Amino acid sequence: MNTQSRSTPVPGVRKAQPLALKKSASVGSLAEALLRECGEQVRVNASVVQAGGPAEGLHQLRVGLRRLRTVERLLRPLSGTKALRQLASDAQWLGREVSLGRDLGALRLDVVQPVAKLFPAEAGFTLLEAALTKRAARARPVVEAALTCTQGTAFLAKLAPDALKPYGDHTGAARDLARVSLEAALGRVRRRALGLADFSDEERHDLRKALKHLRYAVDLLRPLYAEKATAAYLKQIKALQEILGSLNDFSTAQAHFCGKDAPCRDNPDAQRAVGLILGVRRAEAEQDWRHAEALWAKIDGAKPFWRRG
């Protein structure tokens, strides 16, 4: 539980920042820059959460944890990465602790509120929002406890700039490592995209996760390549992610509103609102999904920017 005074100044939320790297950077320079960038995003936003800061801090903390796990994958071809694998494992653990609070907030803002605007006369939406807000508040101490427990504090300490393991002995070209890592990330997406047209909800979710890792990888490595090429590729990846995100919104809503512990499960007004939410989000997801196969074919058929020299 947070023992810090709520009057303590809250540090600013930190979003992802582009790496300050030259295209001719070495592998060692790339590894150091990646770890420092993602480590700083996690540490700063962990402080925001512990200080009772805005919900955006919780979101950016989860983003930082995911980016850190992507960095571990990017650096796997290097030797001496055992400690980095442990960092990624700790990041995955903390990400699970963070997820519930963040999911509840996103469910209220991104799923419930947009549908509520379509049906302003329905009182059940207000009840659902209030219930989700209370649950998110109860989840916050769980996150704070994870950040202050032995495992959490040890993990954050490992992310301090002077604690991160240097990889300066790797003197090869950063772009050589980037090419290998980006090929591996794209390969994971391709394997999960086989049979795209007939995917189950779970298969679509797996593809979305693989796309997210590819997106983070491209975003992290973009200083090594021409900005125009990386921006165009990221735009396509994000578009496909948004399509898959529509289904994820439906799945998240279904999981939270249809279980035994569903909020307001005995209130007729709230349950009518739930029915409207699920109906609208399912229709949107299926409509968006029709474009997924064509968009993926376009991405898969194009020559990736990292192969263009």
Side-chain angles (χ1 to χ4, degrees):
M1 190 169 182
N2 182 22
T3 58
Q4 202 169 348
S5 171
R6 295 297 180 182
S7 62
T8 302
V10 177
V13 172
R14 189 187 189 282
K15 296 186 177 182
Q17 302 293 325
L19 302 184
L21 280 176
K22 295 181 179 180
K23 292 179 174 57
S24 59
S26 69
V27 168
S29 297
L30 172 64
E32 182 178 358
L34 288 169
L35 290 169
R36 285 181 180 273
E37 159 57 22
C38 296
E40 187 71 2
Q41 186 180 12
V42 171
R43 289 193 311 110
V44 170
N45 290 304
S47 296
V48 170
V49 173
Q50 288 179 275
E56 179 65 13
L58 192 62
H59 171 59
Q60 291 301 327
L61 172 58
R62 185 159 71 165
V63 170
L65 293 167
R66 287 172 171 169
R67 293 174 80 226
L68 185 60
R69 292 173 61 199
T70 295
V71 167
E72 187 271 329
R73 284 186 172 181
L74 294 177
L75 300 181
R76 277 181 190 176
L78 303 182
S79 59
T81 56
K82 183 177 180 180
L84 189 53
R85 290 196 295 274
Q86 183 58 53
L87 272 184
S89 177
D90 288 339
Q92 185 176 29
W93 161 76
L94 185 55
R96 287 194 296 267
E97 299 299 303
V98 168
S99 289
L100 177 59
R102 173 56 191 163
D103 285 345
L104 288 168
L107 184 62
R108 182 176 65 84
L109 294 173
D110 302 332
V111 177
V112 176
Q113 286 188 358
V115 179
K117 291 178 180 178
L118 301 175
F119 304 95
E122 291 291 340
F125 290 104
T126 301
L127 297 173
L128 289 178
E129 284 199 58
L132 290 173
T133 298
K134 287 182 180 179
R135 291 192 177 197
R138 290 200 300 267
R140 188 82 173 219
V142 175
V143 178
E144 293 171 349
L147 292 171
T148 55
C149 73
T150 301
Q151 184 177 357
T153 54
F155 169 61
L156 294 174
K158 292 175 186 176
L159 297 180
D162 58 353
L164 290 168
K165 178 179 173 57
Y167 291 88
D169 53 333
H170 293 280
T171 57
R175 283 182 61 151
D176 290 342
L177 174 64
R179 183 171 59 252
V180 171
S181 298
L182 288 168
E183 285 289 349
L186 178 59
R188 284 191 290 271
V189 175
R190 281 178 168 157
R191 288 192 295 275
R192 286 165 176 75
L194 293 174
L196 183 70
D198 302 316
F199 269 11
S200 65
D201 288 358
E202 184 178 356
E203 288 170 323
R204 295 179 188 183
H205 183 60
D206 287 342
L207 175 58
R208 182 171 177 266
K209 289 191 294 184
L211 275 168
K212 186 168 290 186
H213 277 292
L214 176 59
R215 173 186 168 184
Y216 286 149
V218 171
D219 197 45
L220 285 163
L221 298 172
R222 64 193 301 179
L224 300 175
Y225 299 93
E227 174 61 23
K228 185 176 180 180
T230 56
Y233 195 81
L234 277 171
K235 184 177 181 180
Q236 291 181 319
I237 294 295
K238 289 178 182 178
L240 185 52
Q241 257 192 285
E242 287 177 4
I243 290 174
L244 296 170
S246 295
L247 182 70
N248 186 67
D249 286 344
F250 169 77
S251 298
T252 301
Q254 193 172 43
H256 282 284
F257 291 142
C258 298
K260 292 182 179 179
D261 192 37
C264 307
R265 62 191 304 266
D266 297 322
N267 185 287
D269 290 339
Q271 289 308 298
R272 186 162 55 249
V274 167
L276 292 169
I277 290 168
L278 295 180
V280 169
R281 302 309 302 206
R282 168 58 90 177
E284 289 176 348
E286 292 306 321
Q287 183 177 7
D288 286 346
W289 185 250
R290 298 188 190 106
H291 305 296
E293 193 170 9
L295 182 53
W296 168 243
K298 183 178 180 180
I299 296 171
D300 192 37
K303 187 176 182 179
F305 63 86
W306 59 85
R307 296 182 191 169
R308 299 175 193 170

